[in-house]
Amino acid sequence: MQSPLPVRDGVNATRLRLPDGGPWETAMDYMMHRWGHIDPQGIEDRFDAGEIVGEGGVPLDRTTPLRDHTFIWYYRTLPPETRIPVELDILHQDGHLLVVDKPHFLPTTPGGTYIQESALVRLRNQLDLPDLIPMHRLDRMTAGVLLFSTNPDTRGKYQVLFEKRQVQKDYECVSAAQPAPGHPAVDFPVVVRNRMTKSRSYLLAEVVDGEPNAETRIEKLETFDGGTPGSAPLARYRLEPHTGKTHQLRVHMASLGLGIVNDSFYPDLLDKAPDDYSRPLQLLARGIRFVDPITAKAVEYRSGRELSEAVRQSAVPCGNGLRQR
C-alpha cells in the first residue's frame, strides 16, 4: 500500500495498522496506548497539526473515531545519530538504476538505531532521489556492489530478474586456509547445500533438517601467511550463491570449519561490542551481472574495494609461483 505522505529527509513515513476494535474510541487513544509513555505531548501536537493522516492523506484530529481508518501514516521523530565514518562510491547511475560500492558497517536500509546512517537514506538525500529503492540487500557488515532502482515505472522489470534468479553474484571472503579441528578436509571447489531458516526473534540463521533451500559454490583462490608469527595461514575464497538466504555465505563457510575472519556471529556468537572499524568482516560482494531489461545488453558491475586481510599479506596462489597482491 502506497504511503499518502512523501519521503521526508530521506525516510518514509511510518504506517500503523489500527485494530478493528478494543477499548479505544479514537485513533489518538490507540496511539497513546502504543506510544504515549514515550511522548504524549508530541502525539497530541501531531494530531493538532494534521501531521497524522489516514487513507487518501486525510488528516486526523483528536476526535477521529478508531473505526474510520484501517491504516494511518505519520513521520517518526528521528533521534540524533553519530555518523558512521565510511563513504559510498557510485559505480553507475542512469534513469533506471543506481549501482554503488557499499562500505562495511553501513546498513542497506533503515532499521534499529540506524536511520539516517543507512545507504538508502544517505543516497536519497545526497542525490535528491526520494523514489530510490534497493533491489536487494547486503548485511551491514558486508561490503560491495549494491543495486537500487531510481525509477518506479521500470522497477518491476528489475525485480523480475531477482525473482527469477537471473542475476548472478559473486563474493570474496578471507577465512582460514584449512578447516578448524573436528571438520574434514575440503576438496575445492565445493558446493554446499542445506536447509536454512531464520526467525525475526533470533539473531542467527540455523541449519535444519529438510529439503535444501540454500546453495553456494565455494572456490579457494589463494593462500597467504596469517600475518603474525605462529598464526595459521589464511586464504581468499570466491563464493557464488545460487540462493539468497539471510547470512547464507557466513553459515556455509562456518559449516566447513572456515568461519570468515572477524565474523562475530558464526561459528560462535560473540558478545556485542562497539564497531571496530579496523576489523571489518572479511566478506565482499565483488560483482553482479545480468541482462539489463531496458537495453537487452549484458552488464556487469564490480566492486573496487579489497579485503584488508588479503591486501596486507603477500599472497601465494593455489597454483604454481609467487606473486605480491
Side-chain angles (χ1 to χ4, degrees):
M1 182 180 294
Q2 186 171 357
S3 171
L5 292 176
V7 170
R8 187 169 77 177
D9 297 328
V11 182
N12 295 89
T14 296
R15 186 181 73 176
L16 176 67
R17 183 185 181 97
L18 298 177
D20 295 331
W24 314 282
E25 293 186 2
T26 67
M28 192 180 83
D29 289 341
Y30 182 68
M31 284 202 73
M32 284 293 192
H33 166 74
R34 291 288 302 272
W35 314 117
H37 63 288
I38 298 175
D39 185 17
Q41 186 61 54
I43 292 174
E44 292 179 349
D45 291 344
R46 290 182 186 186
F47 274 100
D48 291 342
E51 294 181 353
I52 298 176
V53 305
E55 289 92 339
V58 177
L60 280 60
D61 60 33
R62 298 189 187 207
T63 65
T64 302
L66 183 71
R67 64 180 179 274
D68 281 8
H69 295 275
T70 302
F71 294 99
I72 61 175
W73 287 262
Y74 61 96
Y75 295 111
R76 288 174 289 177
T77 300
L78 301 180
E81 295 179 53
T82 301
R83 185 172 176 84
I84 299 174
V86 295
E87 299 299 331
L88 287 149
D89 296 322
I90 295 176
L91 301 176
H92 171 83
Q93 184 177 359
D94 60 31
H96 309 282
L97 274 186
L98 173 68
V99 186
V100 302
D101 207 350
K102 187 185 85 67
H104 294 99
F105 300 103
L106 189 69
T108 298
T109 55
T113 59
Y114 304 99
I115 307 297
Q116 297 286 340
E117 285 304 289
S118 63
L120 176 60
V121 175
R122 276 198 190 184
L123 290 166
R124 280 177 171 177
N125 290 329
Q126 175 185 336
L127 303 176
D128 192 22
L129 292 172
D131 288 327
L132 197 69
I133 292 293
M135 292 287 89
H136 61 115
R137 283 173 170 77
L138 294 177
D139 289 344
R140 187 171 80 88
M141 293 303 185
T142 303
V145 179
L146 182 60
L147 267 63
F148 293 82
S149 163
T150 63
N151 188 339
D153 294 335
T154 59
R155 183 166 298 154
K157 297 180 183 293
Y158 293 95
Q159 290 173 329
V160 167
L161 296 181
F162 286 90
E163 291 168 1
K164 293 187 174 181
R165 297 183 182 177
Q166 294 175 347
V167 177
Q168 290 76 49
K169 305 174 189 176
D170 65 278
Y171 291 69
E172 291 178 12
C173 75
V174 173
S175 302
Q178 299 297 328
H183 291 266
V186 181
D187 185 16
F188 293 101
V190 65
V191 175
V192 179
R193 297 184 186 91
N194 54 28
R195 184 166 191 83
M196 290 178 54
T197 183
K198 184 175 185 308
S199 70
R200 293 185 177 181
S201 60
Y202 188 54
L203 283 174
L204 303 183
E206 298 178 283
V207 175
V208 297
D209 293 334
E211 171 134 9
N213 63 359
E215 178 178 321
T216 307
R217 182 183 184 275
I218 303 171
E219 177 183 2
K220 183 186 283 187
L221 298 177
E222 56 191 1
T223 61
F224 43 90
D225 293 338
T228 58
S231 61
L234 298 174
R236 186 168 63 94
Y237 297 85
R238 186 172 190 262
L239 313 174
E240 296 178 359
H242 296 160
T243 53
K245 296 298 180 183
T246 301
H247 294 176
Q248 176 178 317
L249 302 180
R250 297 160 73 173
V251 170
H252 282 180
M253 288 299 291
S255 72
L256 299 176
L258 299 168
I260 298 173
V261 172
N262 298 335
D263 191 343
S264 61
F265 279 23
Y266 309 96
D268 300 310
L269 179 62
L270 305 181
D271 292 337
K272 182 174 176 57
D275 288 338
D276 183 347
Y277 299 109
S278 69
R279 292 173 52 82
L281 174 70
Q282 295 297 283
L283 179 60
L284 173 70
R286 172 59 72 192
I288 191 167
R289 58 193 183 279
F290 54 91
V291 175
D292 191 288
I294 305 300
T295 65
K297 294 181 179 179
V299 295
E300 181 173 11
Y301 302 103
R302 307 292 290 176
S303 172
R305 300 180 187 275
E306 297 292 344
L307 294 170
S308 56
E309 289 295 331
V311 168
R312 70 170 58 121
Q313 307 300 335
S314 295
V316 184
C318 294
N320 297 322
L322 301 176
R323 70 179 174 87
Q324 183 79 22
R325 282 186 62 80

